[in-house]
């Protein structure tokens, strides 16, 4: 893809779903760098009317006008429909499971829209790393609906690819729900993601989702369960990519430290670090593990040292590596606080 891609922008997609016309017009124009007059040409609306909409002096209610805007701004298919009430709910609905149960039948679906949605989800992951995912929640729910509606008309490798894409969406929704304090729905989305990963035969996605479950258990102060689940994730990672094996070993290292198995934790941390270095290039990692580069691998090793209370090793590891971490303000804050804590304990 060349040139600006306005409908990759999460804020614009979210604004479309809630029909926030001032934000839609301003955001679309800012992304493409066009004037109100040019926007008016695209949707057959006079420039003064564009200005009135952006300033909140005019509302857009007419169905024909909305259709002109939809066509003129080339709104993607998955956003073209009306906003569904269940988009505001945190938990997955039963219809998703029904669509999946009808997969692997005819193999006639046109999956070009899935390629586009996969591209958009990649951009949403990066946005969530920086600003969070609450605003993007209805957007990703809408995208997941589109992907699962394609499944009944697919079979073979195409169906497997769609199942993995659906699992990626379900995992993202789980992650955002968990960050927002919705533990039950977060686990429900993980269940869907893991089931779809198994259906697709994806060791990478299945192991990753199980690793996330272990992470949730550790965050909820249940280290014994986190330890057991992390072991399962490592087993599922056999035959998966080195990146997946690395992240599952790292989680097992943290869980081992939490139950007092310090030697095992150190061994797993070394293993995780060595595995991560095998895929220094982003294109060689699973889409959802794009961030596990050599810099993050060194931070993971420092974090494992912090977990087993090797304070000097942790402080030095964080201090040497944190200046290289860019684009992840929340993670930077967490690791910086641990570096300071470890240094104080030294």
């Amino acid at each position: 893809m060349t040139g600006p891609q306005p409908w990759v922008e999460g804020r614009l997609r979210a604004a479309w779903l809630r029909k926030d016309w001032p934000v839609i017009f301003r955001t679309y124009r800012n992304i493409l760098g066009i004037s109100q007059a040019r926007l008016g040409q695209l949707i057959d609306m006079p420039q003064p009317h564009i200005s009135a909409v952006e300033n909140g002096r005019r509302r857009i209610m007419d169905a024909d006008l909305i259709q002109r805007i939809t066509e003129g701004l080339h709104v993607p298919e998955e956003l073209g429909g009306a906003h569904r009430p269940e988009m505001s709910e945190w938990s997955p609905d039963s219809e998703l499971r029904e669509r999946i149960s009808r997969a692997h039948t005819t193999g006639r679906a046109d999956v070009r829209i899935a390629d586009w949605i996969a591209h958009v989800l990649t951009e949403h992951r990066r946005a969530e790393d920086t600003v969070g995912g609450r605003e993007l929640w209805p957007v990703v729910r809408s995208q997941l609906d589109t992907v699962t509606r394609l499944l009944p008309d697919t079979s073979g490798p195409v169906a497997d690819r769609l199942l993995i894409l659906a699992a990626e969406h379900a995992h993202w929704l789980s992650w955002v729900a968990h960050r927002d304090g919705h533990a039950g729905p977060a686990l429900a989305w993980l269940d869907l993601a893991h089931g779809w990963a198994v259906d697709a035969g994806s060791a990478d996605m299945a192991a990753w989702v199980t690793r996330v479950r272990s992470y949730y258990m550790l965050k909820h102060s249940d280290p014994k369960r986190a330890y057991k689940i992390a072991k399962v994730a490592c087993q599922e990672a056999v035959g998966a990519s080195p990146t997946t094996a690395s992240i599952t070993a790292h989680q097992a290292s943290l869980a081992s430290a939490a139950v007092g198995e310090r030697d095992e934790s150190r061994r797993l941390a070394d293993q995780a670090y060595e595995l991560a270095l095998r895929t220094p290039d982003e294109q060689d990692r699973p889409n959802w593990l794009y961030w596990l580069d050599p810099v993050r691998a060194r931070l993971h090793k420092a974090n494992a040292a912090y977990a087993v209370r090797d304070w000097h090793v942790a402080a030095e590891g964080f201090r040497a590596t944190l200046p290289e971490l860019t684009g992840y303000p929340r993670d930077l804050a967490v690791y910086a606080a641990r570096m300071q804590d470890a240094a104080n304990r030294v």
Side-chain angles (χ1 to χ4, degrees):
M1 297 183 182
T2 59
Q5 299 291 326
W7 294 104
V8 169
E9 171 61 47
R11 186 162 181 256
L12 180 58
R13 293 169 72 87
W16 180 265
L17 285 174
R18 64 177 184 267
K19 296 298 183 281
D20 189 339
W21 300 109
V23 173
I24 292 169
F25 282 10
R26 285 196 299 268
T27 304
Y28 191 91
R29 289 198 306 105
N30 289 339
I31 293 172
L32 293 185
I34 62 176
S35 65
Q36 290 181 343
R38 176 55 183 152
L39 179 65
Q41 292 173 356
L42 294 176
I43 62 176
D44 193 21
M45 177 183 284
Q47 183 274 329
H49 291 186
I50 298 288
S51 177
V53 171
E54 291 191 3
N55 292 326
R57 299 193 307 271
R58 174 175 176 171
R59 300 176 63 188
I60 294 178
M61 306 291 290
D62 182 71
D64 290 338
L65 176 55
I66 292 175
Q67 183 62 32
R68 288 210 313 271
I69 295 171
T70 302
E71 295 173 356
L73 302 189
H74 302 290
V75 178
E77 179 182 338
E78 75 274 10
L79 296 181
H83 181 71
R84 295 175 56 188
E86 65 266 25
M87 291 296 177
S88 62
E89 299 176 359
W90 285 100
S91 298
D93 55 77
S94 59
E95 187 182 354
L96 289 173
R97 298 177 186 272
E98 175 63 23
R99 291 177 198 153
I100 297 298
S101 71
R102 298 199 303 270
H104 306 283
T105 54
T106 64
R108 293 195 299 266
D110 181 352
V111 294
R112 286 175 295 181
I113 187 66
D115 292 333
W116 164 251
I117 291 175
H119 170 69
V120 171
L121 182 61
T122 298
E123 299 303 318
H124 290 349
R125 287 194 195 98
R126 298 179 189 276
E128 198 277 330
D129 285 331
T130 304
V131 300
R134 182 68 180 266
E135 185 175 358
L136 295 174
W137 176 271
V139 180
V140 177
R141 283 293 300 268
S142 174
Q143 292 171 188
L144 176 58
D145 279 354
T146 300
V147 172
T148 55
R149 279 196 294 270
L150 292 172
L151 273 161
D153 294 324
T154 59
S155 62
V158 174
D160 290 342
R161 184 163 138 253
L162 287 174
L163 283 166
I164 294 171
L165 183 56
E168 289 186 58
H169 279 74
H171 157 259
W172 189 95
L173 293 166
S174 170
W175 188 255
V176 173
H178 187 267
R179 281 189 180 275
D180 208 66
H182 301 276
L187 289 173
W189 284 114
L190 273 192
D191 287 341
L192 283 177
H194 190 268
W196 295 342
V198 171
D199 286 351
S202 174
D204 281 294
M205 177 55 76
W208 163 248
V209 169
T210 304
R211 175 264 175 194
V212 173
R213 184 181 290 273
S214 173
Y215 171 84
Y216 289 172
M217 293 302 104
L218 205 54
K219 292 289 286 185
H220 288 291
S221 301
D222 194 346
K224 290 183 178 180
R225 183 176 298 180
Y227 179 72
K228 290 188 292 185
I229 296 173
K231 291 292 188 180
V232 173
C234 289
Q235 293 169 3
E236 289 183 319
V238 174
S241 68
T243 312
T244 301
S246 171
I247 195 64
T248 55
H250 174 64
Q251 180 61 30
S253 173
L254 298 182
S256 298
V259 296
E261 297 291 343
R262 300 179 68 193
D263 289 340
E264 181 181 10
S265 178
R266 294 186 183 100
R267 176 183 62 78
L268 287 165
D270 290 339
Q271 178 182 327
Y273 179 69
E274 293 170 3
L275 286 165
L277 295 184
R278 294 185 189 177
T279 50
D281 299 324
E282 181 179 331
Q283 65 267 23
D284 296 328
R285 306 176 205 129
N287 293 339
W288 53 93
L289 290 173
Y290 66 92
W291 47 269
L292 189 44
D293 58 12
V295 171
R296 186 68 69 139
R298 295 199 297 275
L299 287 172
H300 278 184
K301 195 167 185 180
N303 199 39
Y306 182 87
V308 296
R309 303 181 183 181
D310 290 340
W311 306 123
H312 179 74
V313 175
E316 289 303 311
F318 286 134
R319 185 176 293 111
T321 311
L322 274 179
E324 300 180 54
L325 183 66
T326 58
Y328 301 92
R330 290 180 299 190
D331 292 346
L332 181 63
V334 170
Y335 287 138
R338 290 179 183 175
M339 177 184 70
Q340 187 61 54
D341 183 54
N344 292 341
R345 293 175 184 273
V346 170

